[in-house]
Amino acid sequence: MPELLQFLFSGVTVGAVYALVALGFTIIYNASDVVNFAQGEFVMLGGMLTFVCHAAGLPLPLAALIAIAATSAIGVLMNKLAIEPARGAPVVSLIIITIGASIFIRGGAQLLFGKQIHSFPAFSGDTPLRIGGATILPQSLWVIGGAVVVFIGLWLFFTRTLTGRAVLATSNNRLAAQLVGINTNFVMTLSFALSAGIGALAGVLVTPITLTSYDVGLALALKGFAAAMLGGMGNPKGALAGGIMLGLLESLTAGYLSSQYKDAAAFVVILLVLFFMPQGLFGQKSVDRV
Amino acid sequence: MRLSAKSATLLVLIALVALSPILFPSGYYYRVGALIFVNAIAVTGIVILTGYAGQISLGHAGFAGIGAYACALAPVHLGLHPSLALVLGAAISGVIAFLVGRPILRLKGYYLGVATLGLGILVSMVLNNERQLTGGPDGMEVPDLGLRGLLKDAGLDLTNGQFWYFFCGLALILGAWLALNLYNSPTGRALRALHGSEVAARTVGIDVAQLKLRAFVISAVYASVSGSLLALQNKFITPDVAGFMHSIEMVTMAVLGGVGSILGAIFGAAVLTLLPQVLTVFAEYEQLVLGLVMMLVMIFLPQGLLPSILRKVRGKGE
């Protein structure tokens, strides 16, 4: 029993990170129909920039804040320079653009920060807490708490604020949103800033546990993408559920079956889900007008 | 007399393969050329899947991995000749594509992307983890094809680089010829029709599911043959051949060059194969430049490099 609890703890922690990445995918997808494969690089930048600022002598909270703000700015730049000019391009071209952006950011990070592995101290110490015979790191609670706060914050933003509703309106029908006076370009900018900021936050929270280096982004982007598709692309609830499920699947497979094939289990389940529910778990059936 | 587009493409290709060596300053360039041809074969498959039929795959390197490891494993464990191992790999890839393709190809756009991505990752994971069979991430040796020795006995003495250059060049010409024939066949026309509009294609009686599956299987076989040729040429193979980045490389080569035409896609394969060779001087900036090139071409030349260049040239001529 403590064993199972232990796997659940680690699964939920990893799952919370996937969920944050998947939420980032969802926000940009809703605003622009683009799946941003550079989402994982935002996580890398969050951890990496925090490390750089912290190593330069800044206190950790300030370092984290600067990292998140800087990553948001990079997200906005990416939108302005690479996504907006290619508006209306086919899916394959957009995939190549965002993967190009991710390779570009990764290459830049390698030049600036080197190939070493970096980290910074955990927020509330490294003494594991004991719950029901299993242990959990205080930092894991930060990660899980972070995901919950971001999810609730987004939910409030999208349902309770005018700006949030403008984003939803844009994702439903871009032209109609423009016609009622919504500045859709601003919505795009906001979405990229928000999404990059959330990615960076995930990086800040998880780096004390998993450490970071210039090349951690790709794997996270693939997992986050998979989690978002599992839940149903474009649905924040789906992103959260998909992320947690993916994390749990991985840790349970690693614990009970084979640690080598933990990623395989995740992708087998995704293939099976898509076979039977082509729109993901929470996705709505889309109807195309011909 | 006007040449048909098909004969023109083939003539250009044959001329390129046959005449390029005149310009080669050293034997090293045969090796680079052979690498371009190997990549171009996989990319020709992507043209059939993405350019003709409009479907996306982010996992085709998985099939290249199957082809490559078939050539490494079958001669040792089954006693097959490496050339038959290539055929076996292609057959396995085709069968897997057929079995998995039917449920996967119902998906559209990004959903198809993630499903094919999963497929590719599963293959690369098996190659990485089954150490006692594949040697894991360290890779394994691949037996010699033996054809160069036969040619030597027959009086044609080629260096290793020259042999693989012309062998892969011939394979590419054959592959391009088949793909061009497909383009003008009823199947090819139906594929292009469903690319334009699946609903419209269905209403005129095209079996959409069946045709997509056919394109998927054919392109998987191309990827598999390309993987086999890479393995046989290098005499060594690692699971990287099946990795996600290799899948992306294939799609990028095709789209960068111009996924609508075989020649454009081959041009893309040449550019992206040469780029790292040119950039070895600035090894540190390689990724930076590669990412930049991918973004810039897609933003400013969305039709791909070759079609855009051709339009420029023609525009000036008139």
Side-chain angles (χ1 to χ4, degrees), chain B residues 18 20 23-25 29 37 40 51 56 58 63 67 73 82 96 111 126 145 160 180 200 245 253 271 287 289 318:
Chain B
S20 299
L23 302 171
F24 288 173
Y29 289 81
F37 297 153
I56 299 171
L58 301 181
F63 298 118
L73 292 171
I96 291 182
Y111 287 93
V126 170
L145 180 59
N160 194 42
L180 287 165
M245 282 321 283
M253 285 173 176
V271 170
Q287 292 221 313
V289 176
E318 276 160 12

Side-chain angles (χ1 to χ4, degrees), chain A residues 128-271:
Chain A
L129 308 170
R130 298 195 70 85
I131 302 171
T135 60
I136 187 165
L137 285 170
Q139 191 65 30
S140 294
L141 297 180
W142 275 99
V143 175
I144 298 166
V148 171
V149 168
V150 166
F151 182 74
I152 294 175
L154 282 178
W155 180 72
L156 290 174
F157 174 68
F158 283 126
T159 53
R160 298 292 149 89
T161 69
L162 196 59
T163 321
R165 288 180 189 175
V167 178
L168 282 187
T170 308
S171 72
N172 274 335
N173 187 331
R174 189 177 187 84
L175 186 64
Q178 277 171 340
L179 285 175
V180 296
I182 292 169
N183 182 347
T184 50
N185 279 335
F186 172 72
V187 167
M188 285 276 287
T189 308
L190 181 73
S191 303
F192 270 86
L194 207 59
S195 175
I198 292 173
L201 175 71
V204 171
L205 294 174
V206 82
T207 297
I209 306 178
T210 59
L211 316 183
T212 193
S213 71
Y214 77 100
D215 60 353
V216 297
L218 180 65
L220 280 169
L222 295 184
K223 296 286 177 56
F225 175 49
M229 301 307 279
L230 181 63
M233 198 48 148
N235 184 330
K237 261 182 291 182
L240 187 72
I244 303 282
M245 271 181 61
L246 204 61
L248 284 173
L249 263 171
E250 274 188 30
S251 85
L252 291 176
T253 313
Y256 290 115
L257 294 172
S258 146
S259 60
Q260 289 174 331
Y261 282 103
K262 68 183 167 90
D263 298 330
F267 280 105
V268 168
V269 169
I270 287 167
L271 282 175

